[in-house]
Every structure is written in structure tokens, then in C-alpha cells.
Amino acid sequence: LLAGEAALRERAQASTTRDEVSALLGWAPADAVAALSERLATVEGAVVVLPRPRGVEVPSELRTGGVRGSLTSLVETYGTVPYRDVDPTPLAAGAFLLMFGMMFGDVGHGTLLLLLAVALAFWPRLARFRRAWPLAAGAGVTGIVFGVLYGEFFGPTGAVPALWLRPMEHPVALMEVAVCLGGALLAGRLAFGADNRVREAGWAAALYAPSGIAGVVLLLGLALVAAGWYASVVAVVVSGAVLASLALLLIFLGFTGEGGVFEACVELFDTVLGLGSNLASFTRLAAFGLTHAALGWIVWEGTRALWPRGTAGAAGAVAVFVAGNLLAFALEGLVVAVQALRLEYYELFSRVFQAQGRPFRPWHLPVTTEEVSPWSRGSSPSR
């Protein structure tokens, strides 16, 4: 039985009718037009594709099927991607997993995440969370990779050699790498943002935008200055300073066109300060990586201290090792996921999006059915 007669009547009244022909105006995904045409043909209807109207925001919808569709929640939680912008889902997922792995580097804990992903994919009781299994699996893989690099297997047990460095032994080096990684991610997002600025307002707007070409040149110039200073190469420092100055001039001119000189100076200062705070925020990749390693070390040291103390000590050591690692896995997994999302949204997505898009919400007619058992005819139907 139709339960949406009023909604259907409302749609019919919104149509344009001339003689015996009625037309309804709406949006449809491009890949759904053919199927829609076939369905309408059965009731003597047709689809007429019209030119895109000027000045109207086209509704947008990210992919919903396959592995990529299961990753779109990373983007949709932040907002709706404008129709003209590029879908950032692959880059967003890659950056999230990379940052998560750096903060959650442990072969044992990464393996537990992989097992959780398998449970999400195949266990019927977790069916409503099934879309999350690719993200959980990816996080488990990156956790294992960084665990091998750190030499961590349920803490510093020695079961896995450190192929790169041990976080608690080289915290400064880990901090430097975290900032460099953050700079690389930020540069990629600024390039992505420059592409979106071109799509949204043309090359002129992209040239002067802090989240456009000028922003990319500014970050490149500052990177050259830092690299030249670190390597004591004056020519590289000068080249970087020239690029950074040119970028600042472009940004200043862009803000001057939107307001006065004083406002442009304030906006320019805010741009430089914001870029510095963006880079500094990525130090949390090292900080939480150190925290994870420290928790693993505490659990392992407690286990080692109890193990030699007879049967009771061995039993206590096993309990401390299992309970401690489960607690560290649950606590760190939640905290690290939140921190990775925080960096994704505040430091990276803010450089990609300048405006929110309009979500595509397809209209449908609500339908309910009434089922009556053959042996209960004459009785009240159950819904």
C-alpha cells in the first residue's frame, strides 16, 4: 500500500503540464540516466537531458560502492565536496592511514587490527559496521609496517628487529621526520587545493589564493630555506627566500583586491601564522608514536619483572602482558584515530575546501506493505 500519497500529489502539482504532457525537473546521476529512461519508457515516459543551469550549485555525491565507497565517510564527516571539486577520498584515506600507522606502530597491535577487520567483513553480528573493514584493514597494515620500522611487537619484546629507529631512543629524529612528513602532506593538499581553486574561480583566483598556487609556492620557498639552512648552502636559502617573498606578495595583492591594505596585512600575517601552526601540529605524529611505544615498554617491563618469581609470578606476568596490551590497543587505537582525523580535517582539509557543496538527496516514494497470513484472514492485519 502506498503511504506517500500526499508526497506524490505534491510532486505532481510541482510539474509543468501542457495538454497531455507533464514534465518534472530534477537531478540524476549521469550513470543512472539510461536505467531511468528504460523504467520511464514502460509507462510512456521519457528523460530529457537539459543543459546545466548557470548560477546553480549542482548537487554532488561521492561513490557509494566498492572499497572506495566505504572510505567516503572520511570525507563526508567533514562536509559535502562541491560538484566542481575533485573527489579527495583516495588522498584522504592514504594520509589518514599513513598518520595512523606512524602513531600506532606495533606489529602485534597491527595484527589485532587486521583480525578486527576480518571480523567486520565476515561476522554477521557486526554486519552494520561492515563498511568500516577496509579502513580497519589499512590501519592494521600501516601499523605493522611502522611496527617493523620501530622494532615493536607488543612492545619492545625483541621479537622484531628495528629496521629504522626505536622511538624512545631517538625522539628528536622522530620529531623531525614527523614535521617533514607533515610538510609533504600539506604541500600535496595545497596542490590539490590549487586545482580546486582553478575549477571554482579560474586561474586568476588560484594564483593569489593562500590555499592555491601562491600557497604552494610559499611552502616550497620555506622548505628550501629550511633545507638550505640545514645543509649550510647559501644559494638554496636565497632561492627559497625569493620564492617565499614572491608568494607573500601574491597573497598580499590578492587580499588587497578584496579589502584595504590594513586588512591585507592582517590576513597575510594570519596566513603565515596559520601555516606555521599547521606544520607544528604534525609533531603530534611523533608525540603519540612515543606515547604508544612508552605504554608498550611499561607493559613489557612489568611482564619481565614478574616472570622470574615462580609460578604465581609467571601467571601474573601473563595477565599483565595480555591485559596491558589489550588496554593499550583499545586506548591508543581510539586516541590515535581521533588525532589522525584531527590532523586530516583541521590541517589538511582546510586547505582543500573553501566552500561546502550541496548533497544529492534522491527523492523516493515511501512504500509500506501489509502481510496477512492465509490462516488469519478476517483478523486484523499486522504491519
Side-chain angles (χ1 to χ4, degrees):
L1 297 178
L2 295 180
E5 292 87 349
L8 184 60
R9 190 179 305 111
E10 181 183 354
R11 287 286 169 172
Q13 292 174 350
S15 65
T16 300
T17 302
R18 182 171 298 176
D19 297 329
E20 297 181 354
V21 178
S22 294
L24 280 169
L25 186 65
W27 300 96
D31 56 2
V33 172
L36 181 60
S37 299
E38 293 178 1
R39 293 177 64 187
L40 289 178
T42 61
V43 291
E44 300 182 355
V47 173
V48 179
V49 180
L50 302 176
R52 188 182 307 164
R54 295 182 179 180
V56 177
E57 179 68 27
V58 181
S60 58
E61 181 182 40
L62 300 180
R63 294 185 186 180
T64 56
V67 174
R68 182 167 176 173
S70 65
L71 300 175
T72 57
S73 58
L74 277 175
V75 180
E76 292 173 335
T77 303
Y78 182 83
T80 303
V81 180
Y83 182 79
R84 290 170 293 184
D85 289 6
V86 181
D87 181 4
T89 300
L91 287 177
F96 174 83
L97 294 177
L98 181 62
M99 293 186 293
F100 185 95
M102 188 170 185
M103 293 185 283
F104 197 73
D106 189 288
V107 176
H109 293 171
T111 303
L112 290 180
L113 262 181
L114 278 179
L115 294 176
L116 176 61
V118 173
L120 291 174
F122 298 105
W123 196 10
R125 291 189 177 182
L126 299 176
R128 57 176 160 174
F129 305 111
R130 185 160 296 163
R131 282 173 56 87
W133 80 262
L135 202 59
V141 170
T142 55
I144 291 173
V145 170
F146 276 95
V148 172
L149 295 176
Y150 295 159
E152 296 279 327
F153 182 82
F154 293 116
T157 57
V160 176
L163 297 185
W164 177 34
L165 56 78
R166 296 190 181 277
M168 296 187 63
E169 296 177 6
H170 304 279
V172 176
L174 188 64
M175 198 78 69
E176 293 173 347
V177 172
V179 174
C180 291
L181 177 61
L185 291 174
L186 192 57
R189 293 307 171 88
L190 282 172
F192 203 86
D195 185 19
N196 284 340
R197 301 298 86 76
V198 173
R199 293 168 177 267
E200 294 164 358
W203 284 97
L207 179 63
Y208 297 100
S211 61
I213 297 173
V216 176
V217 175
L218 175 60
L219 186 61
L220 177 60
L222 294 177
L224 287 176
V225 170
W229 174 79
Y230 186 81
S232 301
V233 181
V234 178
V236 176
V237 174
V238 173
S239 300
V242 170
L243 283 177
S245 300
L246 176 61
L248 290 173
L249 178 61
L250 289 173
I251 294 173
F252 178 79
L253 293 175
F255 284 128
T256 303
E258 298 177 0
V261 175
F262 178 75
E263 182 180 349
C265 292
V266 173
E267 292 289 352
L268 185 64
F269 177 76
D270 182 69
T271 297
V272 176
L273 187 64
L275 184 60
S277 64
N278 289 151
L279 289 172
S281 290
F282 284 98
T283 56
R284 70 187 63 217
L285 294 177
F288 283 95
L290 284 167
T291 302
H292 192 194
L295 287 176
W297 178 82
I298 291 172
V299 172
W300 178 240
E301 287 300 310
T303 302
R304 291 178 58 189
L306 290 173
W307 184 259
R309 300 184 179 182
T311 303
V318 172
V320 167
F321 185 79
V322 173
N325 273 286
L326 287 177
L327 179 62
F329 172 79
L331 180 64
E332 281 294 296
L334 177 61
V335 171
V336 165
V338 170
Q339 292 301 322
L341 281 177
R342 191 265 176 206
L343 289 170
E344 186 84 71
Y345 292 159
Y346 288 95
E347 317 304 338
L348 300 179
F349 274 16
S350 61
R351 303 291 177 173
V352 175
F353 300 117
Q354 292 295 297
Q356 289 290 321
R358 174 185 167 195
F360 174 67
R361 303 190 186 281
W363 180 81
H364 68 281
L365 192 65
V367 176
T368 62
T369 61
E370 291 187 353
E371 297 181 358
V372 183
S373 302
W375 54 82
S376 61
R377 292 187 182 277
S379 60
S380 299
S382 58
R383 282 186 179 269

